[in-house]
Structures are given as structure tokens and as C-alpha cells.
Amino acid sequence: MRSYNPDLTPPWKRSAPVPEVPAEVDLVVEEVSTGFCGAVIRCEAGTVTLEDRFGKHRVFPLEPRAFMLEGKVVTLVRPSAGPTRPTRTASGSIAVPGARARVARAGRIYVEGRHDAELVERVWGDDLRIEGVVVEYLEGIDDLPAIVAEFAPASDARLGILVDHLVPGSKESRIAAQVSSPDVLIVGHPYIDVWEAVKPSSVGIPGWPRVPHGQDWKTGVCRALGWPENTGAAWQHILSHVHTYKDLEPELLGRVEELIDFVTAP
């Protein structure tokens, strides 16, 4: 005879069932016991690896009721279908696995310097390749009117330009005002340098220091933060902490998206 062992736990003491959620790459969850919040970057047999917004990795066991998703307790389970892939690009766009880069458009996006170009590539690179948009850097905009004239923008070859420190009365704003064309869009952010467009919290600093007028800004930042006065190494350190659009200030995000839309418009 089969034995029968009923559950005598009172209903009000029983744990309510919670949903099982596949630990897909990029899913953002919070581990209940530690409060560690991060995105799934890897799920293996029995464990899941999370990455927080500072780039720190933690490995947790796939235990029941161990995570919170959008404020609700869930049980993470290993995805059933093959290896996981990112569902979104670093810019937040829907990822297109296996998509080939489009043949480059005649239109271009110009940015001021190498650091600007590397930051745009870090966050929007996947999107730009799918759209066939090439980003080039100018090493300053002092000769911008001549550069635009040489490019000869047209309706099928639009030119978008991202300018640092584009605020009223600045040298940059006066130069930009000399360029006028329906096929050219010049936008900018208010920061002295694109370094400032990276959120301080992402880099692990309380804020970007104020540098006295007359000093080289990047060198002054390194000095104020106690970093070696090697601006190239400092930038690589900053860039290594940029993982997605969430690490950038909205003043830059909106401007880059605007440029991409402009040069890809029919």
C-alpha cells in the first residue's frame, strides 16, 4: 500500500509559488540575500553570473526564490534553448543576431576627436554597422567650414557633426554658425570634453573636477583625481567602464541618436 504523507503546514505559512524565469543574457535582476543588482552575462549549470553598472561580476547559485525581477521574487532557471545571446545592443536597440554590416552610406558622422569616436563606437557600434554609417574624427573643428565644403553634402550624402562644448558664446558655437545647409546637422553637448559625458558613478568617482581656466583640462582632471598624468591611459580607464548607454549622460545620448536618424533618413 502506498504511504500518504499530507502537508500539514497551515496555508498561511506555506510559501506562495513564484514564477520561473529563464536567465537570458541582459536580464537585470537583484539577488535577494545580498542586494547585488546586475545584468545576466552568463548562465551555466547551477550558477548565473551578474554584472553591475560598475562592471563588477558576481556568481550566484540558481536557487529557488533567490532573485527579484521588477520588484517581485522569482526563481531563475537555465535557458533551455542553446547559448544565450544579448537581446539588445549597448545603445539599447533591439539586437539583430547574425546581421551583416551594411555597405557604407555616402553620408557620414564627424566627431571632434579620437576619444569621441571611440566612445560612439563603444555604445553605438552595432547600430552604425547595421545602418552603414561611418564615423570619422576631425582633430578639432577650427577648419569646419572648409571641411564641410570639401565633403559637399547632398540629400543622398548627409553630414552629421558632433561638437564638444557647443554652448552659446563659445568658440565652437561661432564656428558652427558659419555652416548652413539643409543636408548638414550640427549638434553638440555642453561638456568641455567628451570625458564628462561619461557618468561619474560609472567611473567610480564622485564627480568630474573643475579645472582652473588656463590649464589643460584633461591633465587637470588627472591631477585632481590623483591619476597619473597620462591622458591616454586615463581615457582607456574611463572607456573600460562604459558598457551601455546607461553609463552616459542624456545630453550626449540624445545628440548621437539625432545624428544617426539624420544621416539615415530616406
Side-chain angles (χ1 to χ4, degrees), residues 57-97:
H57 293 183
R58 291 279 299 273
V59 179
F60 297 100
L62 289 174
E63 296 180 343
R65 307 174 64 89
F67 299 89
M68 294 188 69
L69 175 64
E70 297 179 348
K72 297 180 180 179
V73 176
V74 299
T75 295
L76 288 188
V77 296
R78 191 177 185 185
S80 57
T84 58
R85 293 180 176 178
T87 57
R88 292 187 178 273
T89 67
S91 71
S93 302
I94 300 296
V96 185

Side-chain angles (χ1 to χ4, degrees), residues 24-236:
E24 301 284 357
V25 170
D26 286 347
L27 181 74
V28 177
V29 295
E30 178 182 340
E31 203 277 329
V32 172
S33 64
T34 63
F36 185 90
C37 183
V40 174
I41 62 170
R42 188 180 307 108
C43 186
E44 300 170 327
T47 65
V48 62
T49 303
L50 305 183
E51 180 183 65
D52 71 6
R53 62 192 181 94
F54 301 109
K56 183 178 181 180
H57 293 183
R58 291 279 299 273
V59 179
F60 297 100
L62 289 174
E63 296 180 343
R65 307 174 64 89
F67 299 89
M68 294 188 69
L69 175 64
E70 297 179 348
K72 297 180 180 179
V73 176
V74 299
T75 295
L76 288 188
V77 296
R78 191 177 185 185
S80 57
T84 58
R85 293 180 176 178
T87 57
R88 292 187 178 273
T89 67
S91 71
S93 302
I94 300 296
V96 185
R100 293 183 178 181
R102 177 174 174 166
V103 175
R105 296 173 182 265
R108 291 287 187 274
I109 291 177
Y110 285 170
V111 297
E112 282 204 49
R114 177 176 295 174
H115 294 179
D116 306 68
E118 290 177 344
L119 187 61
V120 170
E121 165 62 27
R122 174 63 64 95
V123 176
W124 288 274
D126 290 339
D127 307 61
L128 293 168
R129 279 181 283 278
I130 290 175
E131 295 290 348
V133 178
V134 174
V135 175
E136 300 180 10
Y137 66 92
L138 303 173
E139 296 185 345
I141 64 164
D142 289 348
D143 298 322
L144 186 61
I147 291 170
V148 172
E150 182 180 358
F151 183 85
S155 59
D156 59 348
R158 291 179 171 178
L159 181 59
I161 303 167
L162 178 69
V163 177
D164 296 342
H165 200 224
L166 191 63
V167 297
S170 67
K171 178 193 76 172
E172 291 80 2
S173 67
R174 292 192 293 271
I175 293 173
Q178 299 175 39
V179 178
S180 178
S181 168
D183 300 311
V184 176
L185 176 63
I186 300 177
V187 300
H189 56 74
Y191 307 113
I192 294 174
D193 190 274
V194 77
W195 288 19
E196 283 189 292
V198 179
K199 290 180 178 178
S201 59
S202 295
V203 187
I205 59 176
W208 292 105
R210 292 184 177 276
V211 176
H213 185 70
Q215 282 191 28
D216 176 73
W217 188 84
K218 293 176 181 176
T219 302
V221 166
C222 292
R223 188 174 299 143
L225 293 175
W227 294 350
E229 294 182 19
N230 180 331
T231 58
W235 169 243
Q236 291 307 314

